[in-house]
Amino acid sequence: MNNQKPQKPTLSGQRFKTRKRDEKERFDPTQFQDCIIQGLTETGTDLEAVAKFLDASGAKLDYRRYAETLFDILVAGGMLAPGGTLADDMTRTNVCVFAAQEDLETMQAFAQVFNKLIRRYKYLEKGFEDEVKKLLLFLKGFSESERNKLAMLTGILLANGTLNASILNSLYNENLVKEGVSAAFAVKLFKSWINEKDINAVAVSLRKVNMDNRLMELFPANKQSVEHFSKYFTEAGLKELSEYVRNQQSIGARKELQKELQEQMSRGDPFKDIILYVKEEMKKNNISEQTVVTIIWSSVMSTVEWNKKEELVAEQAIKHLKQYSPLLAAFTTQGQSELTLLLKIQEYCYDNIHFMKAFQKIVVLFYKAEVLSEEPILKWYKDAHLAKGKSVFLEQMKKFVEWLKNAEEESRNLKLKRVTDL
């Protein structure tokens, strides 16, 4: 009897013939480039013919696979090596952005070529954005004229929505910023962008990608100030962009001021310290007194949880606001500031229904505490009030306004004791 175990079958390494359709196609951008360049050479500089050629070629050539090569050719005339240079031994074409005339009209015509191509082949959108991001990183490798053309084209494509403003992230590259390339490029880009749209449309696009507060990063850290940005771009003919950035900086400063102010209030910091801090911030960030009094009012009203009962909230409000009257008085030294505060009080009382009956009591409190004075109150009553709840609030203020008009200066202090009964 044979006790040996039968041998297990083993793989013999037999080779199977692969079907042709399963073989992975070799990546060959050179052959693709030759096909595109040959077609562009035949169309010449007629960009309508170029657009038609590209539209038709998409059915025969693999645009999806060779998107980078395609866009390299359309922008630079051939495949780009790392750094943005064209290889000497590569075939190239003059039917491209870099070989075109350096003017806005020509770049608008090229923008149409890209628009038509990407509308026809939607899958190229992502590849085109990646291409532009790459080109921006290669800016140092291009001539000044090539950079100008690319900047104009990019601005137009941002304006018509072909490109997303997130591509501007590439401009914050440390080397580009350090050598001033980013700022110079941004001048041409924003000029063409604003020329196609306006500063408001530009602002919306920047805000969507959280780029609205980053424009100063186009400069090195030691030059990242509103003053430097404003001077540079105003001298370059972009005053509206300078004003936009200044406004954005002011908005950021106001948000920071409100946040710090609320923290100081919650800690119970002395008013003299709070007033000193606020005045320093006003001076540093060029914030007006009218803006500050609005911030203080908002902060004061948000530091307490209000009673939901209308008959109790007025008493609670008077007690709370009396405490903060010295702080508000420090920033109502101008008639316009007082009027601004009055409008904010009216708006708050209207928006918070439990405060509707408290409006007159708050105004009288602030008059007694010298936060508000006679003239702004009378102006508010006559023609400077808001439409919100005006009939209710004007009726509430009627007796007090009559008293202000009729009381003689020398007797006003005596009558003031009776004001709270009005």
Side-chain angles (χ1 to χ4, degrees):
M1 185 174 180
N2 190 356
N3 292 326
Q4 286 185 338
K5 291 182 180 179
Q7 287 187 337
K8 291 182 180 180
T10 58
L11 293 173
S12 61
Q14 184 177 351
R15 295 174 65 88
F16 292 93
K17 189 174 181 181
T18 307
R19 293 181 183 178
K20 186 136 185 152
R21 70 182 184 210
D22 293 332
E23 290 179 1
K24 190 173 183 181
E25 185 184 348
R26 189 167 65 89
F27 184 70
D28 187 9
T30 306
Q31 186 178 353
F32 176 86
Q33 176 184 244
D34 292 342
C35 293
I36 293 294
I37 288 179
Q38 183 183 343
L40 292 175
T41 303
E42 291 171 3
T43 62
T45 55
D46 180 356
L47 294 184
E48 281 290 333
V50 169
K52 288 177 182 177
F53 160 72
L54 293 171
D55 185 287
S57 296
K60 298 175 285 185
L61 300 174
D62 194 349
Y63 280 179
R64 191 186 298 272
R65 194 171 195 204
Y66 298 109
E68 183 179 3
T69 304
L70 174 64
F71 292 128
D72 274 359
I73 295 167
L74 293 176
V75 173
M79 285 193 294
L80 290 169
T85 56
L86 283 170
D88 293 332
D89 58 342
M90 282 287 184
T91 312
R92 62 185 68 190
T93 177
N94 286 327
V95 185
C96 65
V97 172
F98 284 178
Q101 286 184 305
E102 188 185 325
D103 60 66
L104 200 57
E105 187 178 349
T106 304
M107 291 305 107
Q108 286 169 335
F110 263 101
Q112 282 302 308
V113 173
F114 286 103
N115 285 339
K116 289 175 182 176
L117 177 62
I118 291 166
R119 277 204 304 266
R120 176 70 176 84
Y121 300 103
K122 291 286 287 181
Y123 59 79
L124 287 174
E125 279 184 353
K126 178 67 168 60
F128 186 51
E129 282 204 0
D130 291 342
E131 174 73 10
V132 175
K133 289 176 185 177
K134 180 191 78 175
L135 291 170
L136 297 187
L137 292 174
F138 287 174
L139 285 178
K140 284 170 63 179
F142 305 145
S143 69
E144 184 180 353
S145 177
E146 289 168 346
R147 289 200 292 262
N148 289 343
K149 293 169 198 173
L150 181 60
M152 286 189 280
L153 176 68
T154 305
I156 295 164
L157 293 171
L158 283 165
N160 63 32
T162 303
L163 286 174
N164 185 288
S166 61
I167 57 104
L168 298 177
N169 268 310
S170 294
L171 289 180
Y172 300 133
N173 174 272
E174 187 179 353
N175 291 325
L176 295 176
V177 170
K178 185 179 179 181
E179 298 189 25
V181 175
S182 293
F185 185 87
V187 167
K188 292 285 185 182
L189 183 151
F190 280 109
K191 276 187 176 179
S192 66
W193 193 352
I194 293 170
N195 179 69
E196 294 290 312
K197 292 285 188 179
D198 58 35
I199 190 62
N200 294 322
V202 171
V204 170
S205 297
L206 292 172
R207 193 158 51 245
K208 281 181 180 177
V209 294
N210 298 317
M211 204 75 74
D212 48 330
N213 290 314
R214 293 192 61 195
L215 292 181
M216 281 198 288
E217 293 176 38
L218 292 166
F219 297 100
N222 63 341
K223 294 182 179 179
Q224 287 180 16
S225 68
V226 175
E227 288 70 27
H228 180 78
F229 186 100
S230 182
K231 185 174 185 294
Y232 184 92
F233 281 93
T234 300
E235 288 177 356
L238 282 166
K239 187 178 179 182
E240 58 267 67
L241 185 66
S242 301
E243 290 174 349
Y244 166 72
V245 167
R246 189 177 289 279
N247 186 48
Q248 285 300 110
Q249 186 73 4
S250 179
I251 291 170
R254 294 199 295 267
K255 286 180 179 177
E256 281 299 311
L257 173 60
Q258 181 152 10
K259 182 181 175 184
E260 178 60 26
L261 194 57
Q262 288 173 340
E263 288 179 2
Q264 290 178 347
M265 287 179 181
S266 65
R267 292 196 303 262
D269 290 3
F271 285 157
K272 64 175 185 176
D273 294 344
I274 297 176
I275 291 168
L276 182 63
Y277 164 75
V278 172
K279 286 184 174 179
E280 286 175 353
E281 290 298 304
M282 286 174 68
K283 186 176 180 181
K284 184 170 74 174
N285 295 297
N286 195 29
I287 304 175
S288 69
E289 188 178 80
Q290 291 81 51
T291 301
V292 165
V293 81
T294 300
I295 292 171
I296 294 173
W297 167 260
S298 175
S299 300
V300 166
M301 298 306 282
S302 66
T303 58
V304 65
E305 187 174 333
W306 298 107
N307 200 301
K308 300 298 181 187
K309 294 183 179 180
E310 190 176 41
E311 63 272 16
L312 298 177
V313 77
E315 184 182 342
Q316 184 188 9
I318 295 304
K319 185 178 179 181
H320 179 67
L321 291 171
K322 188 174 183 179
Q323 177 188 350
Y324 285 97
S325 292
L327 181 59
L328 286 158
F331 298 98
T332 50
T333 64
Q334 304 166 15
Q336 190 58 46
S337 304
E338 294 180 52
L339 188 57
T340 299
L341 178 58
L342 267 166
L343 293 173
K344 283 296 167 185
I345 298 168
Q346 180 186 351
E347 192 173 45
Y348 188 91
C349 290
Y350 178 82
D351 291 342
N352 297 272
I353 194 166
H354 299 305
F355 280 80
M356 287 290 283
K357 292 182 180 179
F359 176 76
Q360 184 257 14
K361 292 182 173 64
I362 294 171
V363 175
V364 170
L365 167 71
F366 283 162
Y367 178 76
K368 292 177 70 176
E370 298 185 351
V371 175
L372 298 173
S373 57
E374 177 184 334
E375 286 187 20
I377 295 173
L378 294 176
K379 181 169 178 57
W380 172 88
Y381 187 83
K382 183 181 178 183
D383 55 21
H385 49 260
L386 300 171
K388 292 180 174 182
K390 75 171 187 177
S391 58
V392 175
F393 298 136
L394 291 177
E395 182 61 32
Q396 282 184 31
M397 291 291 291
K398 189 175 180 181
K399 289 184 180 180
F400 181 53
V401 167
E402 286 175 0
W403 177 83
L404 285 175
K405 287 178 179 177
N406 298 327
E408 294 177 0
E409 188 67 40
E410 57 269 23
S411 64
R412 191 163 291 155
N413 289 334
L414 295 174
K415 293 187 178 184
L416 191 58
K417 293 178 182 178
R418 299 200 301 271
V419 173
T420 50
D421 298 327
L422 295 175

